[in-house]
Amino acid sequence: VGAGMVPIAQALALRDDPDRPRWRQAYGFLAQAATPDDVVVVSVPLAAAYYLGRSATHVVGASWFDFQEKMTRNADGVWLDWYSGLPLMDSVEALRRLQVAHARGWVLIDAARFHSTRLLPEGLQDYLWSCCQEYAVVPNGSVIVFGWDTTRLPTTASVD
């Protein structure tokens, strides 16, 4: 009985850790704000399936990090995340292409990865701040939520 208490105590300590990512809050917001057609880019794909009830569409990360020897490319030459099989958004250019192809989308990323120069593609942090709206939905800031919506851009009337 005593040996079984250590894993339980560790699990409870992790649950109560004030710095752990609060995925439930971030995905609760997304469940209300997103439409089924929105692109969902995440740093932890399993969290999307668990909390959102559907798969993410892309994974944000650097293609050279960790398990590159396990990674493959799709027919278009895009790296696929080795764990989830989802396309890897591994550069600012990849996000730009995604935004051109999809009018609405979301990026959910844990703060540790967002603030890491090793885990986040170069320049992506600045690009997200410049092109997307940041939503402060997780009080401890452990998960950062960005969104874009080009359907809300003002249209210009044609002059005849």
Side-chain angles (χ1 to χ4, degrees), residues 37-39 58 97-105 148 150:
D37 295 330
D38 289 357
V39 171
H58 294 75
R97 285 192 305 270
L98 199 59
Q99 289 176 310
V100 167
H102 301 277
R104 286 176 46 102
W148 74 86
T150 58

Side-chain angles (χ1 to χ4, degrees), residues 43-119:
S43 59
V44 180
L46 190 57
Y50 182 78
Y51 288 113
L52 196 56
R54 68 175 174 132
S55 177
T57 58
H58 294 75
V59 176
V60 64
S63 60
W64 55 267
F65 180 69
D66 281 348
F67 309 97
Q68 188 170 3
E69 70 275 2
K70 296 181 183 180
M71 294 171 59
T72 59
R73 293 180 187 258
N74 66 13
D76 297 324
V78 174
W79 283 110
L80 300 176
D81 176 58
W82 75 274
Y83 183 77
S84 67
L86 295 171
L88 190 65
M89 194 189 64
D90 61 352
S91 66
V92 170
E93 187 54 39
L95 179 56
R96 285 185 182 130
R97 285 192 305 270
L98 199 59
Q99 289 176 310
V100 167
H102 301 277
R104 286 176 46 102
W106 303 91
V107 178
L108 282 77
I109 185 166
D110 56 284
R113 189 174 314 256
F114 184 72
H115 296 294
S116 169
T117 56
R118 183 171 170 228
L119 302 177

